[in-house]
Structures are given as structure tokens and as C-alpha cells.
Amino acid sequence: MSENIYLRPLVLEDAKTSYRWRNNPALWKYTFFRPSEPITLEVETEWLNNTLGRTDQKRFAICLTKTGKYIGNVQLIDITDGQAEFHLFIGEQDYWGKGIGVKATKLILDYGFFTLNLNNMRLDVSIENEAAIKIYEKQGFVEVSRAGDYLLMKITKDDYLHKNKLSGKQYVLKLEQETEWKDLVKRALNYDFYHSWIYHSLDNSSGVPMLFVYEEGDDFIGIPLLKREIEDTEYFDMSSVYGYSGPISNKAFHKLSSHFVDNFRTNFLDFLKDEKIVTVFSRLNPFFNQSAIMEDFGGVVDNGKVVVFDLTTSLEEQRSAYQERVLRKIKHLKKLGYYVKEANSKEDVKIFTSIYTLNMLRVDATATYYFDQAYFEALLDSDEFDARLIFVYDHNDYPVCGAIVVITNDIMEAHLLGTREEYLANSPAKLLTEEITIIGRKLGVKYYNLGGGVGFKEDSLFRWKANFSNLTFNYRSWRFVVNQDVYQNLLAKQSVELDTEVDFFPLYRLQANKA
């Protein structure tokens, strides 16, 4: 299986790795470069220090998305008059022949044509390096001449666009186009309520919702996002709504042709450039294999796991996976007279709003986690999905704990939950969780997603959920830098190091998020 990668600008620290590559004869077998003596760390550091300041070059490290490991370089040099010379090498031999060269080439061509707005790029390659020639030809490079044992190959922006964008069309749906948004989502093979028009219309962040669509005939890929201003700049970035959205399509992603996916990618990059987007962040849905079409962009990151109930199994099988004290607590709550019932009146929604809000105040949640009664009523009244309010009542018929769950197709999501503080010790949420799975089975639901821990870490919240089920799905996010130069400048203004180990994206919003 091919590794996912991303590109980042080279930094001086990279010399500690790259100097080893320069002393590897196998790496330079097909190149002009032949060091006459061993390259030391000091020599490599000095060379890199002198190189990084050049304005006619853009040099990037190729890194593995999963681990951040630096495995090679790709660069554009001699950038002048809309032209540049392309270079690529994978320094770590363990990653040769794994499709990384193809992905790195795509990423740098996109960068050169759509960010730097180059007109053409050229490269020299040994005629013996058949694997590299195949990579370049696949991307649209053509041979223009030969000199000894080397080919000169070129690609123009027009040829690249022609290769990657034929009969399709792109368009963007805004909230004003409610019917079109709803109709497109309904055409998707798989979708969740996080893709819906109403959910985006209820978003309480500062972003402007939009649904980018690329279409060829009956086939389409769409991705809903929020466009946000970057303070004190002319630029913007994009994020997804709270929850699991990501792209949708009328077909299973693995059944879309690579040509069609490439066309989507090219059109989407055009759109991002036109909109002056610096970065894109999207939470991917753990039930749909969205990584299959996003990994070629780079930036698909494994973030953790979500705990899931498989409701196609029996309740008895489900209970067999409980941590022992969970079932004991559920039985004890029933014995004390606690019970679960659906609720739907305005008064019920008002009560849940109060319980939920007090919960958020207790945990000192940020502003985006607060919702008013109108928000909950809109969710429960929507015809785009089946949202339900479910309460736990005590023996006096007093609602002490509640949740809003949302069913879309055969997936049920635990959207929001709250418990009265004075009842926390009794943990009525345990009874609520089991009863929701019973309701889900009656409705023909396949999976009930409890979600993960805070920040998708395996923390106390995750462990609480894992007490119910040992079934987990991987949760991934897509973190893509569209404009590397502007991204670097934004980080520099805030004195943020690119290689910081803080799990946050984009990093230039880190300080504002803390505030």
C-alpha cells in the first residue's frame, strides 16, 4: 500500500538527514551529481544555509503523513520568466518503488502551476532511469531533446490542464441555493447529516458555508467547507463544520476512475487558488473511505479512533463486550426507577437546552459549543435526516440526562449530550447509551457512533465510551497547505515553528484558539 505524504519547506535541521543521502552512490546513480569526496554534515549544513535564502528556488522536504519522517526532496530551481527546473529524489531507499515519486511530482506540479503560476517546467533524466521517465510521462511531461545519456523533458501549464481537466465542470453551492445543496447530497451514495444544508446553515463559527462540486456527466465529487477570513490579510482558509464531513460522491470512492479523481483535484486546486485559500482542514467521516481520493493531495492525518456499536449484532452480544461494572450500573439504575423515553415538545427542547448549556459551562467549553433552543428545534424539525431527543427520567419522571442523536441512512451519530450535575454520580448516561442502541436496532440502524475522546485522544472520555464496545473506527483529518509561502509568512509573524509537535492545524490559528 502506498504511503501518504506531504511537502514542507526544507529547514536547516534537515541537513542532519540529507548529508547521509549525498554519500550514497545508489542514490546518485542516474544523476549528474558525483561527489568527489565524502559530504560531511558541516558541508551539507553550509550548503543548505546558503541555498535556503535564494528567491529563485523552492525546495521542499517529502515527509510521511503518518510519522512526519523526512524521506526525500523535491524542488523547483532557476525560477524565472514563468519557467522552472524540476528535481526529485527519494533519499530513503526503503521507500523506493512505493508510488511516492508519483505523489510528490503531482504535488510540486500543482504548486508550480497553481501557486507560482508558472507557464512550463523542465527536467533532465537519465535514459536508463525508466521508472522515473514513466512517472514524468504519466504526469504529462514530454521529451523535447536528448543530450548524451539524458533526456530533456518539459510540461506546459496548458498541457497539464488539458490532461487533468477535460469534459467536467466545477461549481460552488452557497446557502442561498438550498434546493440544489439538498438535491446534490441526496444523490450521494454515502452521506451523513454533517453534509446537510441545515447543519451548515446552523454553524455558529465565523465561516461562510459552501459546497464545492466537480462533475462529469452523472458522476460528481463534492466537499462542503467553511471559508474563513485570516485576520489582517487578504487571504482566507477553509475548515469543516463540527463533526465528520469530508467529500461525498455518487459512487464508492474506490470505484471512481483515477482520471476523474485527478480532474477533481485539478479543479479544486484552481478553485482554492482563485479564492486565495492558504490552508484547508476537513474532518473525514470514519464510515466512508474518503482517504482514497484525498491522499493524493497529501495531508491526510491519522488522528485517533471513535468507539462504535455494531447494531447488526444482538443486544446480548453487545452486552458481552461491556466492562463488567457498566451492565451492573445499568441494572441498578433500572432498579432505582430510571427509564428512557423519546421527547419532542417545545418544553422538552427547552429543558434539554438548559441541561446541555449548564454542562458546557461546567466544563468551560469554548463559544462554538454553545447552542440556543432554536438550534435544537431546527435539527429536530429537519427533513434531511432523522434527529431525535431522548431523555433519561428518574422515578419521579424528572428528566436528568438527555441526548440528541441523528440518524442518516444506516448511521446514527451521538451528536450532543448533557447530564444534570447533581445526577452525575449516578451516571444515567450509561442507561441512556444502551437504550439508544435498542432504539437504533428498531429503526434498522447499522452503526451507532459514540465518537472519541477530547481531541480524539485516548483519554478518560474515550475510555468511558470504550467500556461499552471494543469496536473502533479510525478517524482521520485532511490538513492541506495550499499556499506554502503565505503559510510560512503567517507562522513567522507569530514566531511559530513549523516542526512544533502541537497537534493543531493550521498553526497560525493556534494562539487565537488558546485565547
Side-chain angles (χ1 to χ4, degrees), residues 204 242 283 356-357 360 365-371 376 416 454-455:
N204 63 356
Y242 175 73
R283 300 172 184 87
Y356 175 80
T357 301
M360 294 301 99
T366 59
T368 55
Y369 287 94
Y370 289 85
F371 307 100
F376 295 117
L416 298 169
V454 177

Side-chain angles (χ1 to χ4, degrees), residues 116-337:
L116 299 183
N117 203 27
L118 299 177
N119 296 317
N120 65 72
M121 296 185 227
R122 64 188 181 278
L123 62 85
D124 293 300
V125 60
S126 169
I127 59 176
E128 296 180 14
N129 197 350
E130 295 179 359
I133 292 171
K134 287 181 180 178
I135 289 174
Y136 303 143
E137 288 178 338
K138 184 176 181 180
Q139 298 308 315
F141 279 94
V142 295
E143 178 185 342
V144 294
S145 65
R146 295 194 178 208
D149 294 331
Y150 288 86
L151 302 181
L152 173 63
M153 304 183 77
K154 281 189 176 182
I155 184 171
T156 67
K157 184 175 184 178
D158 287 343
D159 287 343
Y160 188 63
L161 289 172
H162 178 72
K163 180 178 177 61
N164 290 286
K165 184 166 59 177
L166 297 176
S167 57
K169 65 177 181 178
Q170 61 163 277
Y171 55 93
V172 175
L173 299 176
K174 303 287 185 66
L175 287 180
E176 296 77 24
Q177 296 158 288
E178 177 181 352
T179 301
E180 292 88 344
W181 188 309
K182 289 180 176 180
D183 287 347
L184 186 92
V185 172
K186 286 179 181 178
R187 285 174 54 200
L189 177 66
N190 296 303
Y191 61 91
D192 212 329
F193 86 99
Y194 303 111
H195 297 98
S196 68
W197 176 87
I198 187 66
Y199 191 66
H200 281 80
S201 73
L202 293 172
D203 179 76
N204 63 356
S205 71
S206 59
V208 177
M210 53 184 64
L211 175 55
F212 173 86
V213 184
Y214 176 71
E215 204 166 55
E216 288 183 13
D218 294 331
D219 293 339
F220 77 89
I221 297 173
I223 181 167
L225 293 161
L226 306 171
K227 183 179 178 181
R228 308 179 299 184
E229 293 183 356
I230 301 176
E231 191 174 354
D232 297 326
T233 76
E234 62 178 311
Y235 297 99
F236 303 82
D237 59 20
M238 289 187 139
S239 185
S240 57
V241 289
Y242 175 73
Y244 316 100
S245 53
I248 54 175
S249 176
N250 61 302
K251 290 182 178 178
F253 295 119
H254 69 277
K255 291 187 176 179
L256 294 170
S257 72
S258 59
H259 180 72
F260 177 73
V261 174
D262 283 346
N263 290 351
F264 157 71
R265 186 171 137 274
T266 302
N267 278 266
F268 189 40
L269 289 170
D270 272 348
F271 163 75
L272 295 175
K273 179 190 172 186
D274 291 343
E275 295 289 322
K276 294 188 176 181
I277 305 300
V278 179
T279 61
V280 186
F281 174 81
S282 179
R283 300 172 184 87
L284 302 184
N285 195 296
F287 297 99
F288 313 141
N289 183 26
Q290 297 163 324
S291 298
I293 61 168
M294 304 312 293
E295 60 185 8
D296 280 346
F297 286 94
V300 176
V301 177
D302 288 313
N303 287 111
K305 297 179 182 297
V306 295
V307 178
V308 177
F309 285 104
D310 181 356
L311 301 188
T312 64
T313 64
S314 68
L315 182 60
E316 289 69 27
E317 288 179 81
Q318 175 180 302
R319 287 173 170 168
S320 69
Y322 289 178
Q323 201 277 340
E324 185 179 348
R325 66 176 179 271
V326 170
L327 188 55
R328 192 164 59 241
K329 171 58 76 173
I330 291 172
K331 289 179 179 179
H332 181 65
L333 287 165
K334 289 181 178 179
K335 187 175 180 180
L336 292 175

Side-chain angles (χ1 to χ4, degrees), residues 309-319 322 407 412 433-446 448:
F309 285 104
D310 181 356
L311 301 188
T312 64
T313 64
S314 68
L315 182 60
E316 289 69 27
E317 288 179 81
Q318 175 180 302
R319 287 173 170 168
Y322 289 178
I407 304 162
M412 181 161 61
T433 299
E434 179 174 89
E435 291 294 320
I436 288 173
T437 70
I438 294 171
I439 293 170
R441 283 182 173 86
K442 291 178 180 178
L443 295 172
V445 173
K446 183 176 181 180
Y448 176 36

